[in-house]
Amino acid sequence: MGGHLIATILEENKKTLKKKKMRLILQPMQNPEALRKYLLENNYRIIGEHLVQEERFIYQILEAVVGSAENKADYSNFLDLEFGSKIMYTSAELPLYRELLLYKESKLEVIIERVQASQAENKAKIIENWREQIRIIEANLWN
């Protein structure tokens, strides 16, 4: 399940979840940023983030509870929304975090190449947007 679908399920069961004050363990296979955004905008608090590797795949696991989303400051940029707040990971998980960043950087480079070869009207603006994301990734890779 992706982040959008998990968010939809949570929304459809909002009353039950808030009544029971459940601790949620969530593992989106794609679009984790959509799930984090939903949680933060709907009075959930992300209390844990974990990375687990199985073979060549790295999975993001979120722990959340109903309550004040007082940790919004930890999710202030696209990096935190897409990969989780770095401060939530253990030192053992940081190499996996770096792998995720490197993977995203390589995907962005491919996108930039394709946009450059395209006939898009505003491709300079699009490319600059992707390059800004690469700069943010590179600034966070080894911190």
Side-chain angles (χ1 to χ4, degrees):
M1 269 190 273
H4 292 290
L5 180 56
I6 295 170
T8 300
I9 292 168
L10 293 174
E11 183 65 25
E12 290 172 356
N13 294 282
K14 189 185 273 190
K15 289 181 183 178
T16 304
L17 291 168
K18 293 200 179 206
K19 211 182 295 183
K20 295 192 178 193
K21 302 217 182 239
M22 302 174 84
R23 179 173 167 227
L24 304 173
I25 308 294
L26 308 165
Q27 193 263 302
M29 297 296 286
Q30 55 194 355
N31 306 109
E33 72 284 355
L35 179 56
R36 284 187 186 92
K37 187 174 181 193
Y38 173 84
L39 293 170
L40 295 168
E41 291 175 351
N42 286 277
N43 201 36
Y44 287 90
R45 188 164 52 98
I46 299 172
I47 60 170
E49 296 253 11
H50 305 283
L51 295 173
V52 177
Q53 185 169 20
E54 183 179 16
E55 297 179 12
R56 63 184 183 104
F57 299 103
I58 298 174
Y59 299 102
Q60 298 181 50
I61 300 169
L62 291 74
E63 293 178 71
V65 293
V66 174
S68 172
E70 58 199 43
N71 56 358
K72 279 187 181 179
D74 296 340
Y75 297 89
S76 58
N77 62 48
F78 95 93
L79 210 59
D80 293 342
L81 280 173
E82 189 161 338
F83 303 108
S85 180
K86 187 175 176 181
I87 63 169
M88 300 282 254
Y89 295 122
T90 66
S91 58
E93 293 168 319
L94 288 178
L96 296 177
Y97 178 79
R98 287 186 189 102
E99 278 189 52
L100 282 175
L101 294 183
L102 289 168
Y103 176 73
K104 177 66 174 187
E105 183 180 32
S106 69
K107 281 178 52 177
L108 290 173
E109 293 288 356
V110 169
I111 291 169
I112 288 171
E113 286 176 23
R114 289 183 181 163
V115 171
Q116 284 174 330
S118 77
Q119 301 299 317
E121 289 179 27
N122 57 348
K123 70 180 180 181
K125 185 176 180 179
I126 294 168
I127 289 169
E128 183 50 38
N129 186 22
W130 293 125
R131 285 203 170 123
E132 177 59 24
Q133 287 191 14
I134 288 173
R135 283 191 285 275
I136 293 169
I137 288 170
E138 288 175 346
N140 284 274
L141 263 173
W142 308 110
N143 297 356

